[in-house]
Amino acid sequence: STTYGQYWEPVTYEGVTSEDFANLAVVSICQAANGDIYFGTGEGFSGNHGTNIYTPMIIGSGIWKSTDRGNTFIKVSSTNVTESSDVFLIVNKLAADPSNSNLIYAATHRGLKITTDGGASWNSATLDKPEYNNRNSTDIKTATNGSAIASIGEHCFVKKPGSDAFLDKSGEDNLEDPENGNLISSSNIGRLEFAYAPQDPLYIYCAAADQDGEVKAIYKTMDGGDNWVVIGKGGSALFQPFGSQG
């Protein structure tokens, strides 16, 4: 759309080769600081590949990139899905660093992946718990100061400005532990979604759904993710904004 969303035109795009499938399951998108646009494919929030006729999973086929303000999109060849590598079969979320145009994050079903060269190559994120490197990553957000927050294996991982490492900020029964800080619960978590306050990147919000899709808790941090407080408590029939779709 070039009319503020009033009218829309379809975007045409192709795979790397004429035989490559131009995947239609576009589920994530971000824009780099220089205007480049990336979109990822693969719908990963359903647990099947089509056996359920009501909510089947639609598998993807990598990431596409535009360097001409969205007029054309070319598949990023480093995200090809092959028999030996299916990392980018499902790209749940994309996020771009606010100042480094080549730094893009991809939350995939094989963990959080990072490129520092505009998609030419990808590496797993540096985690303080490397055993989470290959677990399902469902959310990644970046802030104006270069920090980032991700959901990996239903845990919250935070990267502070000037650091390359993501630190786990989830914990079992640590909500009321002042010595370790108030962390996001790691018990009975089905999905985590994050949002930075645009005015102050130290303020982050988290919507946590339990494994039944209901509200586990709504969290807020005011120190960039080290300490969290519950601002919306789950478990009440009077407060179920997600229904069972969290």
Side-chain angles (χ1 to χ4, degrees):
S1 175
T2 57
T3 57
Y4 300 97
Q6 185 175 7
Y7 302 104
W8 293 84
E9 297 178 0
V11 175
T12 58
Y13 54 96
E14 298 178 353
V16 177
T17 67
S18 58
E19 293 81 19
D20 193 14
F21 178 44
N23 195 277
L24 301 180
V26 177
V27 299
S28 53
I29 192 167
C30 73
Q31 187 169 28
N34 64 354
D36 290 350
I37 303 171
Y38 298 78
F39 71 74
T41 60
E43 193 276 308
F45 293 107
S46 177
N48 62 76
H49 286 205
T51 57
N52 183 327
I53 63 172
Y54 300 104
T55 56
M57 174 189 289
I58 304 174
I59 60 175
S61 182
I63 295 173
W64 274 256
K65 178 181 179 179
S66 174
T67 58
D68 57 7
R69 307 180 67 85
N71 289 316
T72 58
F73 282 85
I74 304 298
K75 189 175 183 181
V76 179
S77 59
S78 60
T79 67
N80 281 342
V81 175
T82 65
E83 291 184 3
S84 60
S85 175
D86 68 347
V87 171
F88 296 97
L89 187 74
I90 294 173
V91 184
N92 292 307
K93 284 289 179 64
L94 291 170
D97 184 85
S99 57
N100 184 347
S101 299
N102 290 318
L103 176 54
I104 306 296
Y105 301 89
T108 79
H109 73 135
R110 298 297 188 192
L112 181 63
K113 307 304 176 184
I114 300 175
T115 178
T116 57
D117 51 20
S121 62
W122 298 81
N123 294 295
S124 294
T126 301
L127 309 180
D128 65 340
K129 293 185 176 179
E131 64 269 23
Y132 279 77
N133 269 331
N134 200 41
R135 300 192 185 184
N136 189 30
S137 180
T138 56
D139 194 28
I140 173 67
K141 299 288 170 54
T142 55
T144 53
N145 65 351
S147 59
I149 188 168
S151 173
I152 311 172
E154 286 75 51
H155 274 227
C156 167
F157 285 85
V158 174
K159 183 183 80 70
K160 295 295 187 70
S163 173
D164 292 328
F166 283 80
L167 307 182
D168 187 7
K169 297 299 179 180
S170 294
E172 191 72 38
D173 301 323
N174 279 332
L175 288 174
E176 304 300 333
D177 186 348
E179 182 178 350
N180 294 317
N182 298 324
L183 303 179
I184 293 176
S185 175
S186 62
S187 175
N188 188 27
I189 297 295
R191 183 173 173 182
L192 300 174
E193 284 281 325
F194 305 104
Y196 280 97
Q199 299 89 347
D200 188 343
L202 293 180
Y203 282 70
I204 317 171
Y205 299 87
C206 171
D210 63 23
Q211 293 177 358
D212 293 324
E214 299 179 350
V215 174
K216 170 78 175 182
I218 309 299
Y219 297 89
K220 179 178 76 170
T221 178
M222 297 181 288
D223 58 12
D226 290 329
N227 297 280
W228 296 82
V229 295
V230 174
I231 59 174
K233 189 176 182 180
S236 168
L238 300 178
F239 181 61
Q240 282 299 342
F242 300 158
S244 61
Q245 296 292 312

